[in-house]
Amino acid sequence: QVQLVESGGGLVQAGGSLRLSCVVSGRTFSSYPMGWFRQAPGKEREFVTALSWNGVSTYYADSVKGRFTISRDNAENTVYLQMNSLKPEDTAIYYCAAAEEKYYSGSTNRRNYRYWGQGTQVTVSS
């Protein structure tokens, strides 16, 4: 059974940084396309960033390009989301997700991701 557990959220001031982590267990970690999504109250869950199944390609929503970085550590079965220059509009619950098929690498559609973590709250104050 595949399980994802994210952590690292918290309260930060605008302009600050946070590093989220997502530990993955189950079927071969290196074969899963990975993604990060976020959801604010009253809004749809939206795509933030993704990493291809082999860890080679990255994909970013326009709103976070140049500020956020996705990466992974295969030895630790962990995917990271480094968030810099945070803005109040980044406030949301952040979820990591994994897809089963390699061709879903870079997908912005949440329906293509089968496995999800429970989410971690990120709050950015002005």
Side-chain angles (χ1 to χ4, degrees):
Q1 184 69 34
V2 175
Q3 293 184 326
L4 285 68
V5 180
E6 60 264 76
S7 61
L11 174 64
V12 298
Q13 196 169 9
S17 299
L18 280 175
R19 185 178 180 85
L20 307 184
S21 63
C22 176
V23 179
V24 183
S25 63
R27 296 160 71 183
T28 307
F29 171 74
S30 60
S31 295
Y32 290 120
M34 300 295 300
W36 286 94
F37 291 75
R38 66 187 182 186
Q39 187 168 23
K43 299 183 66 177
E44 296 287 326
R45 188 170 300 186
E46 66 176 358
F47 171 79
V48 177
T49 183
L51 186 69
S52 64
W53 71 273
N54 57 7
V56 172
S57 301
T58 58
Y59 312 83
Y60 297 94
D62 289 341
S63 60
V64 305
K65 285 181 180 177
R67 300 189 298 121
F68 291 11
T69 303
I70 187 172
S71 62
R72 77 181 191 188
D73 184 331
N74 290 336
E76 298 293 332
N77 290 329
T78 303
V79 176
Y80 300 98
L81 178 61
Q82 179 66 46
M83 304 184 294
N84 298 325
S85 301
L86 283 162
K87 306 174 181 179
E89 50 262 46
D90 294 319
T91 296
I93 300 175
Y94 284 71
Y95 301 88
C96 63
E100 286 193 318
E101 304 292 341
K102 292 179 173 63
Y103 54 78
Y104 286 141
S105 293
S107 177
T108 62
N109 188 344
R110 63 184 183 273
R111 291 175 294 181
N112 292 146
Y113 295 85
R114 181 174 297 274
Y115 306 105
W116 294 83
Q118 292 300 112
T120 185
Q121 177 71 49
V122 172
T123 302
V124 184
S125 64
S126 59

